[in-house]
């Protein structure tokens, strides 16, 4: 979204949207990690609308499904969920697994 905002400011949004829209698979990792302002949400909608029913878009987020409308907006969410596959992964963080094991071993000493 930062790249789209920068392209908008530089008056080259159309070419940047085409750039991201052309890929057969686009992976957007950790969306919602940082707050998304209204302008970013609108730009993201434009990207998703261009890719809608044409190419695969994979989105990862640690936000609960109940907050997706807040992150994406209802129009974007509608396009994301239509024809979608949702994979919900529950459990402890893989990134923290080694750290927890280390802390537990120290606590036992």
């Amino acid at each position: 979204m930062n790249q789209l905002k920068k392209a908008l400011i530089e008056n080259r949004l159309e070419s940047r949207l085409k750039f991201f829209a052309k890929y057969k698979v686009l992976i957007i990792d950790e969306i919602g990690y940082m707050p998304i302002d209204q302008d970013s949400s609108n730009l993201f909608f434009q990207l998703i609308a261009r890719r809608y029913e044409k190419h695969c878009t994979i989105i990862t987020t640690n936000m609960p499904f109940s907050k997706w409308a807040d992150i994406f907006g209802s129009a974007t969410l509608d396009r994301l969920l239509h024809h979608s596959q949702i994979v919900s992964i529950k459990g402890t963080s893989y990134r923290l697994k080694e750290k927890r094991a280390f802390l537990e071993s120290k606590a036992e000493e």
Side-chain angles (χ1 to χ4, degrees):
M1 283 187 253
N2 288 339
Q3 289 185 39
L4 294 177
K5 284 177 88 170
K6 183 179 178 192
L8 177 65
I9 291 167
E10 295 172 351
N11 200 27
R12 56 182 186 84
L13 179 60
E14 183 64 27
S15 69
R16 203 66 187 154
L17 286 170
K18 283 181 183 177
F19 174 80
F20 286 121
K22 72 181 178 183
Y23 292 101
K24 297 230 184 260
V25 177
L26 179 66
I27 301 172
I28 303 169
D29 191 30
E30 290 290 341
I31 196 160
Y33 175 72
M34 300 290 287
I36 300 170
D37 61 32
Q38 187 63 43
D39 291 336
S40 295
S41 181
N42 291 336
L43 292 169
F44 186 64
F45 172 78
Q46 289 181 51
L47 174 62
I48 295 304
R50 285 194 183 221
R51 298 182 57 77
Y52 180 62
E53 295 190 327
K54 295 176 185 154
H55 299 297
C56 176
T57 304
I58 299 171
I59 295 175
T60 69
T61 182
N62 64 354
M63 299 301 287
F65 192 71
S66 62
K67 300 216 185 234
W68 280 30
D70 298 336
I71 297 169
F72 302 115
S74 60
T76 305
L77 189 58
D78 180 59
R79 282 177 175 76
L80 286 173
L81 294 178
H82 189 234
H83 303 306
S84 71
Q85 295 285 329
I86 298 173
V87 178
S88 178
I89 301 171
K90 298 186 191 278
T92 57
S93 169
Y94 180 77
R95 292 179 185 128
L96 297 177
K97 181 180 174 183
E98 289 182 19
K99 186 67 168 177
R100 283 193 182 119
F102 173 76
L103 293 173
E104 287 172 5
S105 70
K106 288 295 183 188
E108 291 173 0
E109 291 179 358

Short mmCIF file of all heavy atoms in Angstrom, two decimals, residues 6-43:
data_model
loop_
_atom_site.label_atom_id
_atom_site.label_comp_id
_atom_site.label_asym_id
_atom_site.label_seq_id
_atom_site.Cartn_x
_atom_site.Cartn_y
_atom_site.Cartn_z
N LYS A 6 2.68 6.04 -2.84
CA LYS A 6 3.77 6.79 -3.46
C LYS A 6 3.49 7.01 -4.94
O LYS A 6 3.70 8.11 -5.47
CB LYS A 6 5.09 6.05 -3.27
CG LYS A 6 6.28 6.77 -3.82
CD LYS A 6 7.56 6.00 -3.58
CE LYS A 6 8.72 6.75 -4.20
NZ LYS A 6 9.94 5.95 -4.25
N ALA A 7 2.99 5.98 -5.60
CA ALA A 7 2.66 6.10 -7.03
C ALA A 7 1.55 7.12 -7.25
O ALA A 7 1.59 7.87 -8.23
CB ALA A 7 2.25 4.74 -7.57
N LEU A 8 0.59 7.17 -6.36
CA LEU A 8 -0.48 8.16 -6.47
C LEU A 8 0.09 9.58 -6.38
O LEU A 8 -0.24 10.44 -7.19
CB LEU A 8 -1.52 7.94 -5.37
CG LEU A 8 -2.68 8.93 -5.31
CD1 LEU A 8 -3.54 8.81 -6.57
CD2 LEU A 8 -3.51 8.70 -4.07
N ILE A 9 0.97 9.79 -5.43
CA ILE A 9 1.59 11.11 -5.25
C ILE A 9 2.41 11.49 -6.48
O ILE A 9 2.41 12.64 -6.90
CB ILE A 9 2.46 11.12 -3.97
CG1 ILE A 9 1.57 11.02 -2.74
CG2 ILE A 9 3.35 12.36 -3.91
CD1 ILE A 9 2.32 10.71 -1.45
N GLU A 10 3.09 10.50 -7.06
CA GLU A 10 3.95 10.74 -8.22
C GLU A 10 3.19 10.67 -9.55
O GLU A 10 3.81 10.67 -10.61
CB GLU A 10 5.10 9.73 -8.22
CG GLU A 10 6.03 9.90 -7.03
CD GLU A 10 7.05 8.78 -6.91
OE1 GLU A 10 6.94 7.76 -7.65
OE2 GLU A 10 7.95 8.92 -6.08
N ASN A 11 1.88 10.58 -9.47
CA ASN A 11 1.01 10.56 -10.65
C ASN A 11 1.33 9.38 -11.59
O ASN A 11 1.31 9.52 -12.81
CB ASN A 11 1.08 11.88 -11.41
CG ASN A 11 -0.13 12.07 -12.30
OD1 ASN A 11 -1.20 11.54 -12.04
ND2 ASN A 11 0.06 12.82 -13.38
N ARG A 12 1.62 8.23 -11.01
CA ARG A 12 1.88 7.02 -11.79
C ARG A 12 1.15 5.82 -11.20
O ARG A 12 1.60 4.68 -11.32
CB ARG A 12 3.38 6.76 -11.93
CG ARG A 12 4.13 6.66 -10.65
CD ARG A 12 5.62 6.44 -10.85
NE ARG A 12 6.25 6.20 -9.57
CZ ARG A 12 6.30 5.02 -8.97
NH1 ARG A 12 5.79 3.96 -9.53
NH2 ARG A 12 6.87 4.88 -7.79
N LEU A 13 0.00 6.08 -10.61
CA LEU A 13 -0.79 5.03 -9.97
C LEU A 13 -1.23 3.98 -10.99
O LEU A 13 -1.15 2.78 -10.72
CB LEU A 13 -2.00 5.61 -9.25
CG LEU A 13 -2.92 4.60 -8.57
CD1 LEU A 13 -2.18 3.81 -7.51
CD2 LEU A 13 -4.13 5.31 -7.99
N GLU A 14 -1.68 4.41 -12.15
CA GLU A 14 -2.17 3.48 -13.16
C GLU A 14 -1.11 2.45 -13.52
O GLU A 14 -1.40 1.25 -13.59
CB GLU A 14 -2.62 4.25 -14.41
CG GLU A 14 -3.21 3.40 -15.49
CD GLU A 14 -4.50 2.70 -15.09
OE1 GLU A 14 -5.22 3.21 -14.21
OE2 GLU A 14 -4.78 1.63 -15.65
N SER A 15 0.12 2.87 -13.72
CA SER A 15 1.17 1.92 -14.10
C SER A 15 1.51 0.99 -12.94
O SER A 15 1.80 -0.19 -13.15
CB SER A 15 2.42 2.64 -14.59
OG SER A 15 3.06 3.32 -13.55
N ARG A 16 1.43 1.49 -11.72
CA ARG A 16 1.74 0.64 -10.55
C ARG A 16 0.63 -0.40 -10.33
O ARG A 16 0.92 -1.55 -10.00
CB ARG A 16 1.92 1.50 -9.31
CG ARG A 16 2.73 0.84 -8.25
CD ARG A 16 4.16 0.66 -8.77
NE ARG A 16 4.92 -0.12 -7.84
CZ ARG A 16 5.96 -0.84 -8.18
NH1 ARG A 16 6.37 -0.88 -9.42
NH2 ARG A 16 6.61 -1.54 -7.29
N LEU A 17 -0.62 0.02 -10.53
CA LEU A 17 -1.73 -0.94 -10.43
C LEU A 17 -1.60 -2.02 -11.50
O LEU A 17 -1.81 -3.20 -11.22
CB LEU A 17 -3.07 -0.22 -10.55
CG LEU A 17 -3.51 0.60 -9.34
CD1 LEU A 17 -4.72 1.45 -9.68
CD2 LEU A 17 -3.80 -0.30 -8.15
N LYS A 18 -1.23 -1.63 -12.71
CA LYS A 18 -1.01 -2.61 -13.79
C LYS A 18 0.11 -3.57 -13.42
O LYS A 18 0.03 -4.77 -13.68
CB LYS A 18 -0.68 -1.91 -15.10
CG LYS A 18 -1.87 -1.32 -15.79
CD LYS A 18 -1.45 -0.67 -17.10
CE LYS A 18 -2.63 0.00 -17.78
NZ LYS A 18 -2.23 0.68 -19.02
N PHE A 19 1.16 -3.04 -12.82
CA PHE A 19 2.30 -3.86 -12.41
C PHE A 19 1.86 -4.95 -11.45
O PHE A 19 2.18 -6.13 -11.64
CB PHE A 19 3.36 -2.96 -11.75
CG PHE A 19 4.51 -3.72 -11.16
CD1 PHE A 19 5.54 -4.18 -11.96
CD2 PHE A 19 4.58 -3.94 -9.79
CE1 PHE A 19 6.61 -4.88 -11.41
CE2 PHE A 19 5.64 -4.64 -9.23
CZ PHE A 19 6.66 -5.11 -10.05
N PHE A 20 1.12 -4.60 -10.41
CA PHE A 20 0.68 -5.58 -9.43
C PHE A 20 -0.46 -6.46 -9.95
O PHE A 20 -0.63 -7.59 -9.51
CB PHE A 20 0.25 -4.91 -8.13
CG PHE A 20 1.39 -4.40 -7.31
CD1 PHE A 20 1.47 -3.05 -7.00
CD2 PHE A 20 2.38 -5.24 -6.85
CE1 PHE A 20 2.53 -2.56 -6.23
CE2 PHE A 20 3.45 -4.76 -6.10
CZ PHE A 20 3.52 -3.42 -5.79
N ALA A 21 -1.24 -5.96 -10.87
CA ALA A 21 -2.38 -6.70 -11.39
C ALA A 21 -1.98 -7.79 -12.38
O ALA A 21 -2.73 -8.73 -12.60
CB ALA A 21 -3.37 -5.74 -12.04
N LYS A 22 -0.80 -7.70 -12.95
CA LYS A 22 -0.41 -8.63 -14.01
C LYS A 22 0.01 -10.01 -13.50
O LYS A 22 -0.06 -10.98 -14.25
CB LYS A 22 0.70 -8.04 -14.86
CG LYS A 22 2.05 -7.99 -14.14
CD LYS A 22 3.13 -7.38 -15.02
CE LYS A 22 4.43 -7.30 -14.25
NZ LYS A 22 5.48 -6.67 -15.04
N TYR A 23 0.44 -10.11 -12.26
CA TYR A 23 0.96 -11.37 -11.76
C TYR A 23 -0.14 -12.39 -11.54
O TYR A 23 -1.21 -12.08 -11.03
CB TYR A 23 1.73 -11.16 -10.45
CG TYR A 23 3.00 -10.39 -10.67
CD1 TYR A 23 3.06 -9.03 -10.37
CD2 TYR A 23 4.12 -11.00 -11.21
CE1 TYR A 23 4.22 -8.31 -10.59
CE2 TYR A 23 5.28 -10.29 -11.45
CZ TYR A 23 5.32 -8.94 -11.12
OH TYR A 23 6.46 -8.23 -11.36
N LYS A 24 0.12 -13.64 -11.92
CA LYS A 24 -0.85 -14.71 -11.74
C LYS A 24 -1.12 -14.95 -10.26
O LYS A 24 -2.23 -15.28 -9.87
CB LYS A 24 -0.38 -15.98 -12.41
CG LYS A 24 -0.22 -15.83 -13.90
CD LYS A 24 -0.91 -16.95 -14.61
CE LYS A 24 -0.66 -16.85 -16.09
NZ LYS A 24 -1.75 -16.27 -16.80
N VAL A 25 -0.09 -14.80 -9.43
CA VAL A 25 -0.23 -14.95 -7.98
C VAL A 25 0.43 -13.75 -7.31
O VAL A 25 1.59 -13.45 -7.60
CB VAL A 25 0.42 -16.26 -7.47
CG1 VAL A 25 0.32 -16.35 -5.95
CG2 VAL A 25 -0.18 -17.48 -8.12
N LEU A 26 -0.31 -13.09 -6.46
CA LEU A 26 0.22 -11.97 -5.68
C LEU A 26 0.03 -12.33 -4.21
O LEU A 26 -1.07 -12.64 -3.78
CB LEU A 26 -0.52 -10.67 -6.00
CG LEU A 26 -0.07 -9.43 -5.23
CD1 LEU A 26 1.36 -9.05 -5.60
CD2 LEU A 26 -1.02 -8.27 -5.50
N ILE A 27 1.12 -12.31 -3.45
CA ILE A 27 1.07 -12.62 -2.02
C ILE A 27 1.26 -11.34 -1.23
O ILE A 27 2.27 -10.65 -1.41
CB ILE A 27 2.14 -13.66 -1.63
CG1 ILE A 27 1.93 -14.95 -2.44
CG2 ILE A 27 2.09 -13.93 -0.12
CD1 ILE A 27 3.04 -15.97 -2.28
N ILE A 28 0.29 -11.04 -0.40
CA ILE A 28 0.34 -9.85 0.45
C ILE A 28 0.43 -10.36 1.88
O ILE A 28 -0.53 -10.90 2.43
CB ILE A 28 -0.89 -8.97 0.23
CG1 ILE A 28 -1.00 -8.58 -1.24
CG2 ILE A 28 -0.83 -7.73 1.13
CD1 ILE A 28 -2.31 -7.93 -1.63
N ASP A 29 1.59 -10.20 2.47
CA ASP A 29 1.88 -10.79 3.78
C ASP A 29 1.66 -9.79 4.90
O ASP A 29 2.04 -8.62 4.78
CB ASP A 29 3.33 -11.29 3.78
CG ASP A 29 3.65 -12.14 4.99
OD1 ASP A 29 2.74 -12.81 5.52
OD2 ASP A 29 4.83 -12.15 5.40
N GLU A 30 1.07 -10.26 5.98
CA GLU A 30 0.88 -9.48 7.22
C GLU A 30 0.06 -8.22 7.04
O GLU A 30 0.36 -7.18 7.63
CB GLU A 30 2.24 -9.13 7.84
CG GLU A 30 2.98 -10.31 8.42
CD GLU A 30 2.36 -10.88 9.68
OE1 GLU A 30 1.57 -10.17 10.34
OE2 GLU A 30 2.66 -12.03 9.99
N ILE A 31 -0.98 -8.27 6.25
CA ILE A 31 -1.83 -7.09 6.10
C ILE A 31 -2.58 -6.87 7.41
O ILE A 31 -2.96 -7.80 8.09
CB ILE A 31 -2.78 -7.22 4.90
CG1 ILE A 31 -3.34 -5.85 4.54
CG2 ILE A 31 -3.87 -8.21 5.15
CD1 ILE A 31 -3.88 -5.76 3.15
N GLY A 32 -2.72 -5.63 7.78
CA GLY A 32 -3.38 -5.29 9.03
C GLY A 32 -2.41 -5.18 10.19
O GLY A 32 -2.78 -4.79 11.29
N TYR A 33 -1.15 -5.51 9.94
CA TYR A 33 -0.13 -5.38 10.98
C TYR A 33 0.02 -3.92 11.40
O TYR A 33 0.11 -3.60 12.57
CB TYR A 33 1.21 -5.94 10.47
CG TYR A 33 2.36 -5.77 11.42
CD1 TYR A 33 2.43 -6.53 12.57
CD2 TYR A 33 3.36 -4.85 11.17
CE1 TYR A 33 3.49 -6.37 13.47
CE2 TYR A 33 4.42 -4.68 12.05
CZ TYR A 33 4.48 -5.44 13.19
OH TYR A 33 5.52 -5.28 14.06
N MET A 34 0.01 -3.06 10.41
CA MET A 34 0.02 -1.62 10.65
C MET A 34 -1.37 -1.08 10.33
O MET A 34 -2.04 -1.62 9.45
CB MET A 34 1.05 -0.94 9.74
CG MET A 34 2.47 -1.42 9.93
SD MET A 34 3.18 -0.90 11.50
CE MET A 34 3.43 0.81 11.19
N PRO A 35 -1.80 -0.03 11.01
CA PRO A 35 -3.12 0.54 10.70
C PRO A 35 -3.21 0.98 9.23
O PRO A 35 -2.23 1.43 8.65
CB PRO A 35 -3.21 1.75 11.62
CG PRO A 35 -2.19 1.54 12.67
CD PRO A 35 -1.11 0.69 12.07
N ILE A 36 -4.38 0.81 8.66
CA ILE A 36 -4.61 1.17 7.26
C ILE A 36 -5.54 2.37 7.22
O ILE A 36 -6.67 2.29 7.70
CB ILE A 36 -5.21 -0.01 6.48
CG1 ILE A 36 -4.26 -1.21 6.53
CG2 ILE A 36 -5.53 0.37 5.05
CD1 ILE A 36 -4.84 -2.49 6.00
N ASP A 37 -5.05 3.47 6.66
CA ASP A 37 -5.89 4.67 6.58
C ASP A 37 -6.86 4.56 5.40
O ASP A 37 -6.79 3.64 4.59
CB ASP A 37 -5.04 5.94 6.49
CG ASP A 37 -4.14 5.99 5.26
OD1 ASP A 37 -4.53 5.44 4.20
OD2 ASP A 37 -3.06 6.57 5.35
N GLN A 38 -7.78 5.49 5.32
CA GLN A 38 -8.82 5.45 4.29
C GLN A 38 -8.24 5.49 2.88
O GLN A 38 -8.69 4.78 2.00
CB GLN A 38 -9.81 6.60 4.49
CG GLN A 38 -11.02 6.54 3.58
CD GLN A 38 -11.88 5.32 3.82
OE1 GLN A 38 -12.13 4.95 4.95
NE2 GLN A 38 -12.32 4.69 2.76
N ASP A 39 -7.23 6.34 2.66
CA ASP A 39 -6.61 6.42 1.33
C ASP A 39 -5.99 5.08 0.92
O ASP A 39 -6.16 4.62 -0.20
CB ASP A 39 -5.54 7.52 1.29
CG ASP A 39 -6.13 8.91 1.39
OD1 ASP A 39 -7.32 9.08 1.04
OD2 ASP A 39 -5.41 9.82 1.82
N SER A 40 -5.27 4.46 1.86
CA SER A 40 -4.66 3.15 1.57
C SER A 40 -5.72 2.10 1.30
O SER A 40 -5.58 1.27 0.40
CB SER A 40 -3.79 2.71 2.75
OG SER A 40 -2.71 3.57 2.91
N SER A 41 -6.79 2.15 2.07
CA SER A 41 -7.88 1.20 1.87
C SER A 41 -8.49 1.35 0.47
O SER A 41 -8.77 0.36 -0.20
CB SER A 41 -8.94 1.42 2.94
OG SER A 41 -10.00 0.51 2.78
N ASN A 42 -8.67 2.57 0.03
CA ASN A 42 -9.20 2.83 -1.31
C ASN A 42 -8.25 2.33 -2.40
O ASN A 42 -8.69 1.77 -3.41
CB ASN A 42 -9.50 4.31 -1.51
CG ASN A 42 -10.67 4.78 -0.67
OD1 ASN A 42 -11.53 4.00 -0.29
ND2 ASN A 42 -10.69 6.07 -0.37
N LEU A 43 -6.97 2.56 -2.22
CA LEU A 43 -5.98 2.09 -3.19
C LEU A 43 -5.94 0.57 -3.23
O LEU A 43 -5.85 -0.04 -4.30
CB LEU A 43 -4.60 2.66 -2.86
CG LEU A 43 -4.45 4.16 -3.04
CD1 LEU A 43 -3.14 4.64 -2.43
CD2 LEU A 43 -4.55 4.55 -4.51
#
